[in-house]
Amino acid sequence: MEVPSALWRKARAGELEDAAAGILVGAFELDFHGDLHSSSRFTIVSLAESVLITAAQEAARHALRAYDAVQLASALAVREADPRCERFACFDIELRRAASRAGFALLPPAD
């Protein structure tokens, strides 16, 4: 939900053409859902009570907004299930800082 929302917000702000936003959203949805020839490139994490508890803790620890804390808590849950999960992609400055402090490599890389 966050990626398409951010892309369409950029288009509404005039920072991205509508056609480009549509292409990027379509590419993201293909990566997210997969198709007949490829599987999803994402791991889906249910919002289990443990993820929400972690989100509340991360919100307090890093002064994150609720949805950002859920994103970080979800990434932490994935990393616990699969230690190879070591990258975190986002553009929000505070969420990037929190993810970095949690030990994730950032995408795009920091300047």
Side-chain angles (χ1 to χ4, degrees), residues 68-89:
D68 290 342
V70 169
Q71 286 181 266
L72 180 57
S74 297
L76 291 167
V78 170
R79 186 172 64 189
E80 185 175 320
D82 182 354
R84 295 174 299 164
C85 177
E86 56 192 27
R87 291 180 294 248
F88 191 94

Side-chain angles (χ1 to χ4, degrees), residues 50-68:
S50 61
V51 173
L52 294 174
I53 290 169
T54 300
Q57 294 166 343
E58 295 301 318
R61 181 178 294 123
H62 302 291
L64 294 172
R65 295 178 302 236
Y67 199 73
D68 290 342

